[in-house]
Amino acid sequence: MRRVTWMVAVVMCLALVLAGCGIGKKDAGSIVKDLDHVISKADSYQASGSMILHTGSQPQEYQVEVAFSPEHFYRISLTNASKDVTQIVLRNEEGVFVLTPHLKKSFRFQSDWPENQGQVYLFQSLARSIIADKDRQFTTDNDAYVFDVAANYQNEQLSRQKIWLNKKTLAPTQVQVSDANQNVMVQVNFTKFEFDAKFDKDFFQMERNMTSWNMQTLPTMSDVKVTDADHPAAGVTDKNLTATGGQSDQTQPTTSTGTKTDATKSNAAASKPQSIGIIEPSYLPKDVVKQDITDMKLGEDAAVLLRYKGKYNFSMVEVRPQAKSVSLQPGDIVDLGFTIGVLTGEDKKTLTWTNDGVEFRLTTGDLPTNEMIKVAMATEGQSGK
C-alpha cells in the first residue's frame, strides 16, 4: 500500500514539474497544424464585424460581411458607416462581380480572385499567412492565440499583421495590419464568425444582391442587367480608355392601378448629365506632372480627362455615371481600402473604382500596379474643384 502511495506521489510531482515547464500547452507548431486542418475542411463560413482604416487624415469605419460556400463562392459586403454606401463583391459560377447597388452599377469579369491575392477579412487569407510564415511570432491573450506574421497584400505599405484566433474554434476575432513603422493602418474586429453556415440558393447571385439592397429607395433595380461585352458605350474617344459599358434597360414603378408614379419625373431628372468637380490625387509618382485637363463625354455622361506625363504616363477619367452595367475582360480585384477597384488589361492596364458617386478610370501603359494603387488611394478625401 505504501508503495502504491509513493508511486502516486511521484506521478503527481512529475505532472506538476511538467506543467511548470509548459509541457501539455499548445505551441505554435501544433496550432498551425490544427489551423491547416480547419482551413482544409471548412466547407462554409459566415462572418461580420467592422474594419477601421487609418490610411487617411481621419479614420474611416466600414461594416464588413463575409460569406463563403462549399462551392467556393464568395460574398463580401463593405458598408461605409458614415456615408451609408455599400459595395458588394461576389464570386459565383458566372465569374466575379463588383456591385455598387445604390448606383445600379456592376462590373463582371473573369478572375481567380481571391485565390491569387489576400484580403484582410477572409479567413483563408489570414490562415494561409500564418501557415506560410516560418518566422511567425506567437503568444496568447486570454482566450485567443495571437500570431504576428508578414502581411502579403497589394498595398506595399502594409508589412506585418497580428491575428487573434479563438482558442476553441481557431476562428479569427481580430486583425491589426501595420506599416514598416509599426503604425496600425487597418484593424478588423469580428463580432460574429460561424463555420458550416447555410445559405439560400440564390444568396451569391448578382440579381438578388442588386435588387434586395434597398427596395424602397431603388424601385427599378430589378431591371438592371449585365450587358454583353460587345455593346460598348458610345462617345469614348480617348485612346487610353479600355473599359466599356452599356446602358441598362429601366422601367418606372407603377401604382396598384397600373399608372406611373411621380418617380417618372424624379428619375428623368436624375438621368440628366450631372456636373462633376475635378478631383486630383494628392500623390503623384516622382518626376510625373499633370499635363492637362479636358472636358469630354463618356456615353451620355459628362466627364473629365486628366493626363499626366513624365517618368510614367497615364490618364484618369472621372464621371458621375448613369445606371449602367459593364462586362469586362479578365481582370483582378484591387483593395483600395476605402473601396474595391477592378484592374484589367496587360500591356495597357486600367484601374476602375467608384467613390462618392464618382467613377474613376486610371489607364496607363507603363505605370507599375503599386503606383496605380497609390494614385487611386490618393483621390480619397479630395474635394472636387
Side-chain angles (χ1 to χ4, degrees):
M1 184 67 180
R2 290 180 178 178
R3 183 179 179 182
V4 172
T5 302
W6 178 82
M7 291 180 64
V8 171
V10 170
V11 170
M12 292 180 65
C13 289
L14 286 173
L16 291 173
V17 171
L18 293 174
C21 295
I23 305 299
K25 294 183 179 179
K26 287 271 190 180
D27 61 8
S30 62
I31 296 170
V32 168
K33 289 181 180 178
D34 292 342
L35 187 60
D36 194 16
H37 178 68
V38 170
I39 193 175
S40 64
K41 74 178 185 66
D43 288 334
S44 66
Y45 65 84
Q46 190 168 20
S48 59
S50 64
M51 178 174 66
I52 302 175
L53 304 180
H54 300 278
T55 53
S57 58
Q58 296 292 331
Q60 296 183 67
E61 183 173 351
Y62 294 79
Q63 301 303 314
V64 181
E65 297 178 4
V66 181
F68 171 72
S69 77
E71 298 85 6
H72 284 221
F73 294 168
Y74 288 85
R75 179 189 184 275
I76 294 97
S77 172
L78 300 174
T79 301
N80 187 304
S82 61
K83 301 175 183 177
D84 194 27
V85 173
T86 297
Q87 194 170 39
I88 298 173
V89 183
L90 295 176
R91 176 182 171 179
N92 57 32
E93 71 279 0
E94 296 181 356
V96 177
F97 295 83
V98 175
L99 311 178
T100 310
H102 73 288
L103 296 178
K104 293 178 273 188
K105 188 79 173 180
S106 67
F107 289 94
R108 180 183 62 185
F109 54 101
Q110 297 299 317
S111 172
D112 292 332
W113 180 91
E115 306 302 328
N116 58 349
Q117 59 186 259
Q119 301 290 336
V120 67
Y121 34 73
L122 294 183
F123 173 64
Q124 289 90 337
S125 298
L126 299 174
R128 288 168 184 160
S129 66
I130 293 174
I131 296 170
D133 191 347
K134 304 303 181 184
D135 297 322
R136 68 184 78 91
Q137 300 176 24
F138 169 73
T139 186
T140 60
D141 180 15
N142 296 325
D143 58 351
Y145 300 122
V146 185
F147 285 91
D148 189 329
V149 298
N152 183 24
Y153 300 113
Q154 290 172 313
N155 186 348
E156 294 181 348
Q157 293 179 312
L158 307 178
S159 59
R160 294 200 66 82
Q161 57 185 344
K162 292 181 68 175
I163 303 168
W164 282 254
L165 301 178
N166 182 283
K167 285 184 177 180
K168 293 182 179 179
T169 66
L170 297 184
T173 60
Q174 184 183 171
V175 185
Q176 291 182 353
V177 190
S178 305
D179 63 12
N181 297 318
Q182 299 183 345
N183 298 311
V184 176
M185 307 297 287
V186 183
Q187 180 168 335
V188 177
N189 298 308
F190 291 99
T191 55
K192 174 186 176 183
F193 199 104
E194 176 189 359
F195 286 111
D196 300 322
K198 305 299 182 184
F199 306 104
D200 293 338
K201 185 176 180 180
D202 61 347
F203 186 85
F204 297 91
Q205 298 305 304
M206 188 273 285
E207 291 81 4
R208 167 173 171 165
N209 284 276
M210 287 292 283
T211 58
S212 63
W213 176 74
N214 192 331
M215 292 299 292
Q216 292 182 341
T217 60
L218 296 175
T220 63
M221 273 193 173
S222 60
D223 299 304
V224 176
K225 300 176 182 179
V226 174
T227 64
D228 294 329
D230 57 355
H231 289 76
V236 180
T237 58
D238 188 81
K239 63 182 180 180
N240 288 325
L241 303 184
T242 59
T244 60
Q247 180 68 44
S248 62
D249 297 328
Q250 298 185 46
T251 59
Q252 302 299 335
T254 59
T255 64
S256 58
T257 59
T259 59
K260 292 184 178 181
T261 67
D262 291 338
T264 303
K265 297 179 181 180
S266 61
N267 283 350
S271 66
K272 293 181 179 179
Q274 300 184 46
S275 61
I276 176 173
I278 301 171
I279 299 174
E280 299 186 37
S282 59
Y283 166 83
L284 290 177
K286 186 179 179 180
D287 298 326
V288 172
V289 296
K290 180 175 65 179
Q291 180 178 4
D292 55 37
I293 300 177
T294 306
D295 292 330
M296 59 177 293
K297 295 280 286 185
L298 194 62
E300 298 298 320
D301 302 319
V304 292
L305 170 67
L306 295 81
R307 295 194 296 177
Y308 298 85
K309 66 177 183 178
K311 182 179 180 180
Y312 304 110
N313 301 279
F314 62 92
S315 66
M316 187 165 67
V317 172
E318 302 173 7
V319 60
R320 292 188 181 273
Q322 301 178 47
K324 293 179 181 177
S325 300
V326 296
S327 202
L328 300 178
Q329 298 300 314
D332 287 303
I333 283 179
V334 176
D335 190 348
L336 300 177
F338 62 92
T339 189
I340 297 294
V342 178
L343 181 65
T344 58
E346 296 181 2
D347 294 335
K348 182 167 288 185
K349 299 175 292 186
T350 296
L351 177 59
T352 305
W353 71 97
T354 302
N355 189 30
D356 284 346
V358 178
E359 180 180 298
F360 299 81
R361 300 182 186 183
L362 193 162
T363 301
T364 182
D366 56 10
L367 186 64
T369 300
N370 65 313
E371 289 290 340
M372 295 178 72
I373 293 173
K374 289 181 182 179
V375 173
M377 293 181 66
T379 61
E380 166 62 9
Q382 302 302 304
S383 58
K385 298 178 182 179

